[in-house]
Amino acid sequence: MALNLNKNLKLYYSIKEVAEMFDVNESTLRYWESEFPFLKPKNSGPAKIRQYQQKDIDQIRLIHNLVKVRGFKLAAAKKIINSNRDGADRSAEVLSRLITVRDDLQALRKQLNFLE
């Protein structure tokens, strides 16, 4: 059996960690949970501490892409997700990859400018 180096070793993330990932407030994540019924992180213990799994983070990435990046209102984002979930998922994935490529190209440009 081969070792999977890409495996995400962390199973659960706190609401603070997830909020920092997307540069949003914790209250924004709580509000999105109330607006999007498919976004339900695990609540553990008597204090009901939220524990986000990777599937929850993927859902948040989709919502974040529609609402914060592309500027849709929540009602429009719900409509897009309900009517064309696969298309919305692919769109969010493509945008994420493009942002990564842009950042890599900007870093490369800075290195090339430094060499001149």
Side-chain angles (χ1 to χ4, degrees):
M1 184 164 86
L3 178 64
N4 184 357
L5 297 176
N6 292 328
K7 184 176 180 182
N8 190 355
L9 297 178
K10 191 164 184 176
L11 297 177
Y12 297 103
Y13 297 86
S14 70
I15 192 169
K16 182 177 182 178
E17 291 172 314
V18 176
E20 288 174 358
M21 282 181 203
F22 294 99
D23 194 27
V24 296
N25 295 325
E26 294 173 22
S27 60
T28 301
L29 292 176
R30 288 188 209 97
Y31 183 68
W32 287 352
E33 288 173 23
S34 69
E35 291 294 315
F36 296 93
F38 57 83
L39 182 57
K40 294 291 180 208
K42 180 180 175 184
N43 291 323
S44 68
K48 299 286 185 185
I49 297 173
R50 288 171 171 80
Q51 295 180 325
Y52 293 87
Q53 297 177 327
Q54 188 59 46
K55 66 180 179 67
D56 300 316
I57 292 171
D58 293 339
Q59 302 294 332
I60 292 168
R61 183 172 287 111
L62 174 61
I63 297 167
H64 181 267
N65 175 44
L66 291 171
V67 176
K68 296 294 185 180
V69 176
R70 296 176 66 189
F72 287 104
K73 304 271 187 208
L74 284 180
K78 285 182 204 178
K79 194 173 191 178
I80 290 170
I81 290 171
N82 290 333
S83 66
N84 187 8
R85 179 60 183 252
D86 292 335
D89 284 337
R90 281 193 302 264
S91 175
E93 183 179 334
V94 167
L95 184 62
S96 176
R97 287 184 185 175
L98 286 173
I99 290 170
T100 302
V101 169
R102 181 198 65 197
D103 293 344
D104 291 345
L105 288 172
Q106 287 175 341
L108 183 60
R109 184 178 187 184
K110 285 181 184 178
Q111 288 177 352
L112 289 173
N113 288 338
F114 180 72
L115 294 175
E116 292 179 349

